[in-house]
Amino acid sequence: MLDCFKRVEGLIDATSVEAIDSARVLLDQFKGKSETIAQAIDDFLLDFMTLLFVVEATREQFHNPARRLARIRLSKVRLLLTRCS
């Protein structure tokens, strides 16, 4: 599980459509654990897509705050999975 989250964290820096698809594939394995975890994963993916938009459409000064938000959402998923295990 830890390796999965390290890979997803690396994808946050990549910020591409392919990175979003890869993150979705990596996290889909956890969606069946609970509705709360599935919602947290969906929230993370939404923030990750928002990050991609920010990177493509705005100045660089907005990139790091958007990455931080995506990492916070990913931490929530990890925490929920730890509690569920």
Side-chain angles (χ1 to χ4, degrees), residues 2 8 23:
L2 185 59
V8 174

Side-chain angles (χ1 to χ4, degrees), residues 5 27 40-41 44 73-81:
F5 284 97
L27 294 173
I41 290 169
F44 163 74
R73 292 283 192 177
L74 184 60
S75 294
K76 180 180 178 182
V77 173
R78 187 179 346 199
L79 178 66
L80 288 169
L81 283 168

Side-chain angles (χ1 to χ4, degrees), residues 51-63:
L51 168 61
L52 177 62
F53 171 77
V54 167
V55 166
E56 290 181 347
T58 65
R59 295 182 303 207
E60 195 170 322
Q61 67 187 22
F62 297 111
H63 297 187

Side-chain angles (χ1 to χ4, degrees), residues 12 14-20 45-58 63 66:
I12 290 172
T15 55
S16 67
V17 173
E18 294 82 17
I20 292 169
L45 290 171
L46 180 60
D47 285 342
F48 197 14
M49 288 183 263
T50 302
L51 168 61
L52 177 62
F53 171 77
V54 167
V55 166
E56 290 181 347
T58 65
H63 297 187

Side-chain angles (χ1 to χ4, degrees), residues 18-51:
E18 294 82 17
I20 292 169
D21 291 338
S22 296
R24 180 178 287 118
V25 168
L26 287 167
L27 294 173
D28 271 351
Q29 65 184 312
F30 303 116
K31 275 196 162 184
K33 297 218 179 243
S34 77
E35 184 61 35
T36 303
I37 291 171
Q39 183 61 52
I41 290 169
D42 289 343
D43 290 344
F44 163 74
L45 290 171
L46 180 60
D47 285 342
F48 197 14
M49 288 183 263
T50 302
L51 168 61

